[in-house]
Amino acid sequence: MKIELRNIEFAYDKNPVLRNITGVIDPGEFVALVGPNGSGKSTLIKCINGILRIQKGEVLLDGKNLKSYGTNRLSQKMAYVPQTEQKAVPMNVFDAVLIGRKPYIRWKPTKQDLEITAGILEKLNLAPVAMKDVTKLSGGQQQRVFIARALAQQPEVLLLDEPTANLDLKHQVDVLKLLGSLTRQGITVIMAMHDINLAAMYSKKVMMMKEGRLFASGGNEIFTADNVEKLYDVNVETIHKNGTVYIVPDRTQSI
Amino acid sequence: MNTSDLLQDYTRYTRRRILFILLVLLGIVFVGMYAMVVGAAGISPGDIIRVFTGRGDPVSEQIILNIRLPRVLAALLAGLALSASGAVMQSLLRNPLASPFTLGISGAAAFGASFAIVFFGSAGIAFMPWLNEQYIVMFSAFAWSMVSTGFILAIARYRGATPEVMILAGIAIGSLFGAGVSALQYVATDVELAAIVFWMFGDLGRAAWNDVLILSVILFPLLIYFSLKAWSYKALQSGDEFARSLGVNAFRVRLTGMLAASLATAVVVSFYGIIAFVGLVVPHIVRRFIGGDDSFLIPASALFGAVFLLLSDTVARTLFSPVILPVGILTSFIGAPLFLFLLLKGMGRGYWS
């Protein structure tokens, strides 16, 4: 699904959060939204799938305005994995993932719904814990459950808000590899990220946001010391190794 | 482990939950029969069969058809309504402490009843239930419950229908009405005061065919509505924004769900007074058996609540026979320790751990 953002503006009450955002995201792209706290990353994600209503501009999905999709149809095309700050609800893992079938379920889940759910659990290595309570799982496994739940929607676009927050390094890498494999199956992945190194390593496209504006966007080549310094107001050094860029704060200089 | 094993496991899990529901249904049948038989007037199972086949003597017929049966049905319906509302409220508000009275209905209904007793001269209704005055009190209790609910939903509309707003508004409105009840009790005569106090004890002795019929007409559509909305409630439990991404209008679903649950509760409270703890404890008990999935939790809580309240009422009727306790006192007495027990045993599978 091709996503076009045209001059998007959004404000909470009177405070502008997104200003004139324009961009195109092609099907199967792996996009990282980076930028300081409060730069509008989460808000942009919520605007893309209509959780928040933009006040100006338009979001086009395959050339059609977001508003012309019914909420149920939209939820069959696009899934959202919220930031995991909220506590998981006590529920069996299978049931939790089955909730993702909601857009397709009228009264009770069909055999097909159950099969799709079981297939996803297996693909995400969640089969061994499928009958356990979600709240009893580790943070990494919980995040997998939430991604599985989103995949049960069979979306073309997956939106994630800080998918690696609160995870240890192994699970961060696990999640990013999983997302990468999804993009290879044609699913567009758009994630808000704080860790610019991991973003540079795994994503194929970067959108840098600052104060509600799109500061820069492009491939990983836009991770230059100059850009990152302007973005975060921190002096950094870049190290290039094996074709990947590493960004580290520069301790020797004080601001 | 492959997909078919996984499906088998899940099917087994679902069957276990359905089995639980069937067992509760069986429990309703047994407790129902027991409740028909025990009591001050000696009725044997044979009498019941004779009455239902039209061969009973007038006295047993009177007792069975006009006293025991409506009371049994009222207990089942009231338990059903309170427990289903409790399960729905806990889910909609994402809070294990939510109960049918979270929106302040108990306080508002008590105020409504006291208001009618004091201002419409219904003194002595507890002792001499004249039909008309009894209905004025019921109507007033119901009307004030809906006023309180409407007020809170209006606040939620204005301020955002978040669980926090609704719970806090409910506490505030509830205590405001509590103050109103105190004020009315202060100006009431001794007889009126007694009537107010008697009204506040939830008591199924007031059950009659009329209210059983009204209750069923109101409750069954609401139960069907809750079952239809179970998937939206489940989505809401994981957060409003997530629910929206699943195509669920969090605001509308929560507001209408709260309204429906409050309506069910208000009807029961207006007829029978305040029956505490059932709506809070029953969903937690059921959750321990079958987990927190609303598709099963809501119907199972409804049925379990029905048998729970019927059993409580039967015990309340027979414990100190021939003295009959109001069931509201008994549910408070067993409800509080039961709640503490569940808390110590790790209530609701991870809710508070």
Side-chain angles (χ1 to χ4, degrees):
Chain A
M1 181 177 258
K2 185 176 177 178
I3 302 171
E4 288 168 81
L5 311 174
R6 287 193 188 159
N7 311 96
I8 291 180
E9 306 257 337
F10 180 85
Y12 282 112
D13 295 326
K14 289 263 154 58
N15 304 320
V17 182
L18 298 178
R19 304 170 209 231
N20 201 19
I21 304 246
T22 295
V24 177
I25 296 161
D26 287 316
E29 251 183 332
F30 194 166
V31 184
L33 294 174
V34 299
N37 290 330
S39 58
K41 303 185 295 289
S42 303
T43 308
L44 180 59
I45 281 186
K46 287 171 198 167
C47 286
I48 291 177
N49 79 345
I51 293 174
L52 296 174
R53 288 226 178 98
I54 51 172
Q55 283 122 4
K56 269 187 205 156
E58 50 189 1
V59 177
L60 300 178
L61 306 174
D62 280 340
K64 272 179 68 187
N65 194 308
L66 176 76
K67 289 175 196 156
S68 67
Y69 288 81
T71 50
N72 207 55
R73 229 186 108 219
L74 188 64
S75 61
Q76 297 176 352
K77 302 258 176 207
M78 229 188 239
Y80 169 67
V81 179
Q83 211 170 344
T84 51
E85 55 192 27
Q86 196 187 331
K87 244 183 110 182
V89 192
M91 189 182 277
N92 173 299
V93 169
F94 197 108
D95 279 326
V97 175
L98 191 59
I99 292 176
R101 296 300 299 164
K102 159 113 202 347
Y104 304 89
I105 293 172
R106 289 194 144 261
W107 163 254
K108 65 192 280 263
T110 61
K111 193 159 187 293
Q112 195 200 1
D113 291 318
L114 300 181
E115 276 165 4
I116 290 170
T117 304
I120 289 168
L121 284 170
E122 198 161 340
K123 206 171 82 181
L124 266 60
N125 296 327
L126 287 166
V129 295
M131 291 298 134
K132 289 210 173 111
D133 197 292
V134 183
T135 53
K136 299 279 188 288
L137 304 183
S138 70
Q141 279 177 319
Q142 280 186 9
Q143 185 62 286
R144 267 177 181 270
V145 171
F146 298 142
I147 294 174
R149 185 176 67 186
L151 291 179
Q153 287 171 251
Q154 297 183 306
E156 292 170 37
V157 179
L158 187 56
L159 301 158
L160 305 98
D161 200 349
E162 308 275 358
T164 56
N166 309 321
L167 298 186
D168 64 35
L169 189 61
K170 177 178 155 39
H171 286 107
Q172 290 181 25
V173 172
D174 270 359
V175 164
L176 290 167
K177 276 187 183 158
L178 170 66
L179 296 177
S181 76
L182 294 175
T183 57
R184 285 190 289 281
Q185 294 159 31
I187 297 177
T188 313
V189 172
I190 304 172
M191 60 175 186
M193 268 296 255
H194 269 309
D195 191 322
I196 42 178
N197 283 307
L198 285 174
M201 216 176 286
Y202 288 93
S203 68
K204 295 286 176 288
K205 177 174 173 145
V206 185
M207 293 170 87
M208 292 181 171
M209 293 188 64
K210 188 176 187 183
E211 289 163 10
R213 290 177 206 283
L214 203 55
F215 169 81
S217 93
N220 292 345
E221 72 280 354
I222 68 168
F223 276 115
T224 61
D226 187 45
N227 270 346
V228 175
E229 276 174 14
K230 279 189 190 140
L231 192 60
Y232 291 100
D233 289 327
V234 173
N235 290 325
V236 297
E237 268 184 288
T238 53
I239 303 162
H240 289 271
K241 196 178 168 189
N242 303 334
T244 312
V245 59
Y246 298 87
I247 302 130
V248 287
D250 186 353
R251 275 205 305 175
T252 57
Q253 278 175 287
S254 59
I255 300 168
Chain B
M1 189 181 260
N2 60 37
T3 315
S4 67
D5 285 347
L6 203 56
L7 280 174
Q8 229 168 33
D9 277 3
Y10 185 70
T11 312
R12 211 173 297 138
Y13 179 57
T14 303
R15 284 209 192 108
R16 226 167 39 228
R17 295 187 283 193
I18 293 171
L19 181 69
F20 176 81
I21 291 177
L22 292 178
L23 285 175
V24 175
L25 274 172
L26 203 64
I28 289 181
V29 172
F30 278 113
V31 178
M33 292 202 292
Y34 176 71
M36 292 293 288
V37 176
V38 297
I43 297 285
S44 71
D47 290 331
I48 294 174
I49 292 166
R50 274 192 288 281
V51 166
F52 280 112
T53 52
R55 296 179 286 119
D57 59 290
V59 177
S60 345
E61 198 173 289
Q62 177 66 17
I63 291 170
I64 290 169
L65 290 184
N66 287 332
I67 297 174
R68 295 261 170 93
L69 192 57
R71 185 168 185 148
V72 166
L73 293 176
L76 290 172
L77 289 169
L80 191 101
L82 293 173
S83 307
S85 302
V88 169
M89 296 254 191
Q90 285 172 7
S91 171
L92 284 178
L93 298 174
R94 290 197 285 269
N95 193 314
L97 283 178
S99 82
F101 303 129
T102 300
L103 294 195
I105 285 181
S106 53
F111 176 80
S114 316
F115 185 82
I117 290 168
V118 171
F119 289 106
F120 296 108
S122 302
I125 68 144
F127 312 108
M128 283 178 281
W130 296 318
L131 209 62
N132 287 339
E133 291 181 357
Q134 207 180 357
Y135 276 115
I136 291 172
V137 173
M138 277 177 195
F139 182 77
S140 177
F142 179 77
W144 281 101
S145 308
M146 292 326 284
V147 165
S148 129
T149 305
F151 191 66
I152 289 164
L153 296 184
I155 291 175
R157 254 192 101 82
Y158 171 72
R159 192 64 187 77
T162 63
E164 294 77 12
V165 166
M166 298 183 113
I167 291 170
L168 293 175
I171 290 173
I173 296 295
S175 57
L176 180 65
F177 279 115
V181 173
S182 301
L184 286 170
Q185 284 177 330
Y186 188 74
V187 298
T189 64
D190 287 354
V191 182
E192 287 166 349
L193 186 59
I196 292 173
V197 171
F198 269 91
W199 185 89
M200 288 213 276
F201 299 138
D203 184 6
L204 291 163
R206 302 168 207 172
W209 276 111
N210 268 345
D211 39 67
V212 169
L213 289 178
I214 295 173
L215 265 183
S216 7
V217 168
I218 294 175
L219 288 182
F220 285 107
L222 288 179
L223 272 182
I224 291 168
Y225 174 78
F226 290 147
S227 312
L228 285 172
K229 286 285 171 194
W231 283 89
S232 299
Y233 297 166
K234 281 193 262 185
L236 264 188
Q237 285 209 35
S238 302
D240 289 10
E241 285 173 345
F242 169 70
R244 291 206 70 150
S245 77
L246 271 181
V248 174
N249 185 331
F251 178 81
R252 200 192 306 154
V253 168
R254 180 169 292 123
L255 244 50
T256 49
M258 296 300 285
L259 182 64
S262 300
L263 179 66
T265 308
V267 180
V268 170
V269 171
S270 316
F271 282 137
Y272 307 128
I274 296 152
I275 300 169
F277 270 105
V278 175
L280 175 65
V281 174
V282 165
H284 285 298
I285 299 174
V286 172
R287 219 175 260 121
R288 284 186 71 84
F289 284 105
I290 64 166
D293 187 295
D294 283 326
S295 300
F296 296 92
L297 181 70
I298 294 171
S301 294
L303 295 172
F304 193 87
V307 71
F308 183 87
L309 191 60
L310 179 59
L311 193 61
S312 305
D313 187 50
T314 309
V315 171
R317 253 179 342 111
T318 51
L319 191 61
F320 301 112
S321 184
V323 177
I324 295 177
L325 282 180
V327 69
I329 294 179
L330 189 80
T331 54
S332 297
F333 259 119
I334 53 178
L338 197 58
F339 198 72
L340 288 176
F341 171 77
L342 290 171
L343 181 58
L344 291 171
K345 293 282 280 183
M347 167 153 63
R349 297 187 174 192
Y351 241 129
W352 286 353
S353 59

